[in-house]
Amino acid sequence: MKRILVTGGTGYIGSHTIIELFKKDYEIDILDNLFNSKITVLDKIEEISGKRPNFYEIDLLEYEKMRELFRDNKYDLVIHFAGLKAVGESVEKPLLYYENNVGGTINLLKCMKEFGVNKIIFSSSATVYGEQPTPKLDETMPTGVGITNPYGETKHIIEEILKDVAESDPEFSAVILRYFNPIGNHPSGLIGEDPNDIPNNLMPIIMKVSRGEIKELSVYGDDYDTVDGSGVRDYIHVVDLAKGHVAVIDKMKPGVLIYNLGTGKGTSVFQMIKAFEEASGEKLPYKVTERRPGDLAEIYADSSKAEKELGWKAELNVDDAMRDTLNYLNNL
Ligand code: NAD
Ligand code: UFG
């Protein structure tokens, strides 16, 4: 039995990961300030898995409260999801993003050091690759060049901090998971991405269009050098993503391990629209607009390292994600 502290555990990816962790009998404490999630997620996790995580409403920036938590509880591992993630907002409020994401992570790492917790799994992003000469991204590529927003910079900086801490402490183990584009939700439809988020990302916007809350989807450019001119991304079902975290726990060792979590397959915006229309049987209104500044034409994961070393690979596809998304939408 291992006791795990999950920061950001009431959020979208955190809650799905906890459901997978509970299948393995881990004991879970959540730390979250509920800035972008709801406490009712705990009931849903319990409904799905028959177990309820302990919950602490603490902000990563409340250093003394964090110290108390670590003083009173002995953790074997921290899985660190908590952070702000709205790319557009990070351009408008860079200090908020650096303070919350980088400052919050430093507080967490200081508490871990003080109370002898030396294992962490961190939610990073494909954004750290910046611009690369090829669309298929693998973990050996350099990072940190051509990142176009403060949110992405926070992910890169935190990765560098984790490498430095591992360098300074021979017992410290960090896993950096670089997520591609998470979509979908648990097949029960009970939990999912909170549609009250500031929608920046394609799937939450498609969900809002389908609910009539947004008139139409803007397709950001149809003149890229891609299969049909629209942007191509590697959309990974969040349940597969969650399983990736479970797969890595037993492989942890001192130092830093880095894995892409993606499917290895790119899907265009037009293909996403078509997949949604086929799953829902409804037309999704859209119009083609200008390219969004900072967007890349096409990226997808080389996911072979995770497959080889963790025995993990994505099993669900975009159609599964669309079906599960509709199930969630119908439950709202
Ligand atoms: P989310 O917003 O649903 O979950 C993040 C959680 O962190 C929320 O519950 C929020 O309340 C909490 N939080 C934020 N700041 C906090 C603070 N200072 N103290 C305590 N709690 C705080 O987001 P998600 O989609 O589940 O993302 C989880 C992680 O994965 C984030 O670090 C995100 O940057 C990263 N990530 C997400 C995506 C994506 O597309 N969803 C892609 C790549 C990486
Ligand atoms: N798109 C549209 N219309 C929209 C929203 C998105 O056409 O209203 C297109 C984008 O141009 C892109 C694709 O849909 O081609 C996916 O866009 P998202 O905003 O959903 O995802 P991104 O790949 O641009 O960004 C995501 C995360 C970031 C992360 C980045 C790393 O949101 O946090 O992946 O690659 F930094």
Side-chain angles (χ1 to χ4, degrees):
M1 162 76 81
K2 278 203 180 87
R3 180 114 185 254
I4 305 178
L5 178 67
V6 180
T7 76
T10 38
Y12 170 51
I13 304 170
S15 55
H16 283 87
T17 302
I18 289 170
I19 286 164
E20 298 307 317
L21 291 167
F22 271 152
K23 291 183 185 164
K24 296 271 176 182
D25 239 28
Y26 293 110
E27 195 183 323
I28 309 293
D29 284 8
I30 294 177
L31 175 160
D32 202 299
N33 65 0
L34 298 178
F35 175 80
N36 199 36
S37 53
K38 295 197 180 77
I39 191 76
T40 48
V41 167
L42 301 178
D43 300 331
K44 314 278 182 187
I45 293 174
E46 191 173 7
E47 201 175 328
I48 293 167
S49 55
K51 293 182 205 165
R52 193 178 181 86
N54 303 311
F55 178 78
Y56 296 91
E57 187 173 346
I58 300 176
D59 192 303
L60 289 171
L61 298 179
E62 294 175 308
Y63 186 51
E64 286 310 320
K65 278 198 192 171
M66 298 256 291
R67 286 190 65 233
E68 272 171 40
L69 179 72
F70 276 86
R71 192 194 59 212
D72 296 345
N73 299 280
K74 175 81 192 100
Y75 297 113
D76 300 298
L77 166 69
V78 175
I79 308 185
H80 180 33
F81 295 100
L84 298 173
K85 62 164 184 174
V87 171
E89 186 187 51
S90 80
V91 176
E92 283 154 32
K93 300 176 183 167
L95 297 178
L96 173 69
Y97 272 67
Y98 286 111
E99 181 175 46
N100 191 77
N101 292 4
V102 180
T105 302
I106 291 174
N107 282 349
L108 179 67
L109 290 167
K110 279 165 67 180
C111 291
M112 288 173 62
K113 175 94 185 154
E114 180 178 350
F115 295 97
V117 182
N118 52 27
K119 291 198 182 87
I120 185 168
I121 299 175
F122 172 61
S123 302
S124 190
S125 162
T127 195
V128 300
Y129 289 110
E131 271 203 76
Q132 300 288 346
T134 58
K136 185 173 181 173
L137 306 177
D138 76 64
E139 296 87 344
T140 64
M141 288 172 161
T143 53
V145 177
I147 298 174
T148 52
N149 58 77
Y151 164 75
E153 294 288 357
T154 68
K155 292 295 175 193
H156 175 62
I157 292 168
I158 295 167
E159 286 198 3
E160 296 306 301
I161 292 172
L162 292 172
K163 290 176 195 167
D164 289 342
V165 173
E167 196 68 39
S168 74
D169 178 352
E171 288 182 0
F172 185 77
S173 314
V175 176
I176 291 169
L177 298 178
R178 294 181 180 151
Y179 307 156
F180 281 68
N181 293 57
I183 59 168
N185 46 262
H186 190 267
S188 64
L190 288 173
I191 56 169
E193 187 157 23
D194 191 336
N196 296 325
D197 267 9
I198 312 162
N200 286 285
N201 297 119
L202 183 62
M203 243 356 258
I205 293 173
I206 289 180
M207 288 158 76
K208 280 195 177 272
V209 173
S210 137
R211 282 161 67 84
E213 291 169 25
I214 296 179
K215 200 167 108 254
E216 59 194 355
L217 170 70
S218 296
V219 176
Y220 295 144
D222 65 353
D223 57 353
Y224 285 108
D225 183 15
T226 59
V227 58
D228 56 21
S230 65
V232 169
R233 295 291 182 275
D234 185 338
Y235 296 94
I236 174 165
H237 197 296
V238 69
V239 171
D240 279 331
L241 189 71
K243 288 179 177 169
H245 296 72
V246 180
V248 85
I249 293 177
D250 289 332
K251 309 282 179 182
M252 291 183 78
K253 56 180 187 207
V256 180
L257 293 169
I258 304 179
Y259 296 101
N260 285 341
L261 294 184
T263 67
K265 185 178 176 298
T267 305
S268 75
V269 178
F270 288 131
Q271 288 166 342
M272 291 292 280
I273 294 172
K274 188 158 169 278
F276 186 84
E277 289 183 339
E278 275 172 11
S280 65
E282 60 182 63
K283 277 273 159 210
L284 194 83
Y286 72 85
K287 64 167 189 289
V288 175
T289 65
E290 296 282 283
R291 292 180 178 190
R292 182 171 63 177
D295 266 359
L296 299 167
E298 173 167 11
I299 54 170
Y300 53 92
D302 180 333
S303 49
S304 55
K305 186 179 176 199
E307 184 170 354
K308 204 163 99 216
E309 295 185 12
L310 307 179
W312 170 92
K313 73 174 175 28
E315 282 163 357
L316 301 167
N317 60 27
V318 161
D319 295 328
D320 296 313
M322 293 301 177
R323 179 200 61 222
D324 294 333
T325 300
L326 284 160
N327 203 9
Y328 175 62
L329 280 176
N330 288 334
N331 272 341
L332 285 176

